[in-house]
Amino acid sequence: MRVTSEQEAMYIACAMESSAVQLYSRAMQVLEGQGRQEEALYRSIAAMRLEEMSHLSRFRSFYNGLDADTENQLMLGAVADGILFEGGLMGAARAGVLKDVESMLSYAARCEATSVEKYREFAANAQSQEAREALLAIAAEEARHLTELTEQAKG
């Protein structure tokens, strides 16, 4: 997938973060349905959801909009590249993320690592310096989040 402008990068960043928010929101609903709101897993997912919502809000502040055709093409490219939480909650559940905190943190860390990789890849392929810098800033923020998740998994 080739991102050629800062606005394309911001659209994909928003789509990736929105996908994470939706996944964590749905996971919380499933746990609520099971009466598991008091578990550490639920609190951990809620914290990750808040972090992703914060990222989404920040990225949306950079996004000024694209035409619908461009957005659709970018979304199809993102889906084809498998960067939008492939399989959604069902895929995550199959990976065992609703089992315990450690499993969820491990899954979230893998997703953050993918985000860092994709944002850096987009930056390397960006045509403008402005887009490249924006994508590298996003990658750095995701790398910090990855470090936080890794530290939580250890502690």
Side-chain angles (χ1 to χ4, degrees):
M1 151 169 244
R2 187 164 176 84
V3 172
T4 60
S5 73
E6 180 177 351
Q7 288 307 297
E8 289 179 1
M10 292 307 119
Y11 178 77
I12 292 299
C14 288
M16 290 171 70
E17 298 303 319
S18 181
S19 178
V21 169
Q22 290 172 7
L23 178 100
Y24 295 139
S25 295
R26 182 67 183 116
M28 290 171 65
Q29 289 174 341
V30 168
L31 292 175
E32 288 166 6
Q34 297 171 350
R36 298 173 62 189
Q37 300 93 312
E38 300 303 317
E39 291 184 17
L41 175 61
Y42 184 88
R43 291 188 301 276
S44 181
I45 292 170
M48 287 186 280
R49 180 178 168 266
L50 283 174
E51 182 74 23
E52 299 302 336
M53 289 172 72
S54 173
H55 290 172
L56 179 58
S57 176
R58 180 167 182 252
F59 298 161
R60 280 183 176 158
S61 73
F62 290 117
Y63 182 62
N64 297 323
L66 296 167
D67 63 83
D69 287 339
T70 301
E71 286 183 352
N72 286 335
Q73 289 174 352
L74 289 169
M75 188 60 75
L76 289 173
V79 169
D81 284 352
I83 61 174
L84 297 175
F85 286 94
E86 190 172 357
L89 181 61
M90 292 304 292
R94 282 191 293 276
V97 300
L98 297 180
K99 183 174 68 173
D100 54 36
V101 174
E102 292 77 20
S103 298
M104 178 52 91
L105 289 173
S106 176
Y107 177 81
R110 286 191 308 272
C111 293
E112 290 294 332
T114 298
S115 294
V116 170
E117 176 186 323
K118 286 297 178 182
Y119 292 144
R120 288 179 180 158
E121 179 184 315
F122 293 162
N125 291 321
Q127 299 295 313
S128 76
Q129 182 66 25
E130 185 177 38
R132 196 171 6 270
E133 289 172 4
L135 286 160
L136 289 174
I138 291 170
E141 185 167 322
E142 295 292 24
R144 282 190 298 278
H145 192 212
L146 173 58
T147 300
E148 291 170 8
L149 290 170
T150 303
E151 289 173 3
Q152 286 177 3
K154 290 178 185 177

